[in-house]
Amino acid sequence: VLDNGDGTYTAKYMIQRATKYRLHVQLRDEPIKDSPFTLTCLPTVVDARHCVSTGVGTCSAVAGKMSSFTIQARDEFDNNLLPGAPSCNFEVVLVGTDGEDKEHGTVHNNGDGTYRVDYMCVQAKGFLMAIRLDGVHIVDSPLNVYVHCADIMPEMCYATGEGLLGSTAGVEYEFVIQGVDP
């Protein structure tokens, strides 16, 4: 508290946690008129280094099927952004760990400080997923994502080999079944 020398005083405070507060102002251990004051601390601007991603789609997916996860936008003090906050420019790119097959996620603003990301990879293999806000990686990005084979569809599977052509008693034959996913 700073005495301005003219009967007024300047008080300063800084809050880092976005929530509602009751500010008690006292003079000689007595509350001044209208104290306590109710105030709301709002989050500051979004900071990529504090945004987080959650959901199964951050670590695994199924080839040929849509996968999704959620990004929670946060400020530098880890406060979640609130509904009505300015939209963020998140970008999601998946690149096969073999350097092939680049895929892009589609980012949807949920309007509540979260963003749903949808993506689909057609190849079953490992991918490295980068999640960035204005070119800066979010927490834990890039992530390792493994894309698994889709469910095998019996009606699309086929078999090959001598064992399908016939056999002789006491002789072992074999054939191979090729599983096919959609």
Side-chain angles (χ1 to χ4, degrees), residues 116-178:
R116 187 185 82 241
V117 179
D118 297 319
Y119 68 92
M120 184 185 326
C121 297
V122 295
Q123 293 289 321
K125 62 180 176 179
F127 284 83
L128 200 57
M129 179 166 54
I131 309 169
R132 296 184 190 96
L133 173 62
D134 298 325
V136 178
H137 285 280
I138 72 165
V139 173
D140 294 331
S141 175
L143 299 164
N144 288 307
V145 176
Y146 188 75
V147 178
H148 302 272
C149 290
D151 294 332
I152 293 178
M153 300 186 67
E155 67 274 12
M156 297 178 70
C157 297
Y158 59 90
T160 59
E162 287 183 12
L164 299 173
L165 303 175
S167 66
T168 301
V171 177
E172 184 176 89
Y173 287 85
E174 71 177 47
F175 62 94
V176 175
I177 301 169
Q178 177 63 56

Side-chain angles (χ1 to χ4, degrees), residues 5 11 14 20 22 28 30 35 38 67 74 89 95 107 114 125 132 140 142 147 154 161 170 173 178:
M14 181 184 351
K20 290 188 177 191
R22 291 176 54 97
R28 292 195 275 300
E30 294 291 322
S35 180
T38 301
S67 295
R74 291 184 173 170
N89 186 29
V95 178
V107 181
T114 66
K125 62 180 176 179
R132 296 184 190 96
D140 294 331
V147 178
Y173 287 85
Q178 177 63 56

